[in-house]
Amino acid sequence: MDELLRLPGVARKTANVVLGVAYGIAAGVVVDTHVSRLSQRLRLTKQKDPGKIEEDLMELVPRKDWIIFSHLLIFHGRRVCKARRPLCEECLVEKLCPSSSLKTGKLPSECQWPGV
């Protein structure tokens, strides 16, 4: 991690991706826009800063799952839980989601999630 972070243009997100995908090393949780958005919608964190979000997720998710967890959230954020219009009716975790438009009756642009 330290060696990667010394390279120009490499921050924690990139370093976590390289270590996880190329070497199978779970040094942290990748936090991109999708992971940030979904972790807030699912109330896994109240943080806005990627570093703080990563810390919260690392406490919640077992280390052995850090690599796949990031990929699953990113995929889910691209395909189902979209930024402007989440497809809650197609979501496999909708019943667990406190921000579901099926429960709130509001789309993200209309809704302010408490604590997020």
Side-chain angles (χ1 to χ4, degrees), residues 18 35 41 47 52 54 59 66 71 78 91 95:
V18 169
V35 173
R41 283 185 181 172
Q47 303 298 325
K52 291 180 180 179
E54 181 182 10
E59 287 182 27
W66 287 355
H71 291 291
R78 287 179 178 165
C91 181
K95 291 180 181 175

Side-chain angles (χ1 to χ4, degrees), residues 81-96:
C81 196
K82 300 176 181 189
R84 293 189 180 146
R85 187 163 176 80
L87 304 173
C88 297
E89 63 281 355
E90 296 177 25
C91 181
L92 296 176
V93 296
E94 185 275 329
K95 291 180 181 175
L96 303 173

Side-chain angles (χ1 to χ4, degrees), residues 64-106:
K64 67 179 183 61
D65 298 325
W66 287 355
I67 297 169
I68 192 65
F69 180 78
S70 301
H71 291 291
L72 291 172
L73 279 186
I74 291 166
F75 183 81
H76 190 68
R78 287 179 178 165
R79 298 284 198 267
V80 180
C81 196
K82 300 176 181 189
R84 293 189 180 146
R85 187 163 176 80
L87 304 173
C88 297
E89 63 281 355
E90 296 177 25
C91 181
L92 296 176
V93 296
E94 185 275 329
K95 291 180 181 175
L96 303 173
C97 182
S99 303
S100 166
S101 65
L102 300 180
K103 291 177 187 146
T104 66
K106 298 178 183 179

Side-chain angles (χ1 to χ4, degrees), residues 6 9 19 34 40 56 93 101 109:
R6 284 193 281 268
L19 289 171
H34 302 292
Q40 291 170 7
D56 286 349
V93 296
S101 65
S109 59

Side-chain angles (χ1 to χ4, degrees), residues 5 10-18 29-33 54:
L5 292 175
V10 175
R12 280 201 64 88
K13 179 178 79 172
T14 301
N16 280 327
V17 170
V18 169
V29 175
V30 174
V31 178
D32 72 347
T33 57
E54 181 182 10

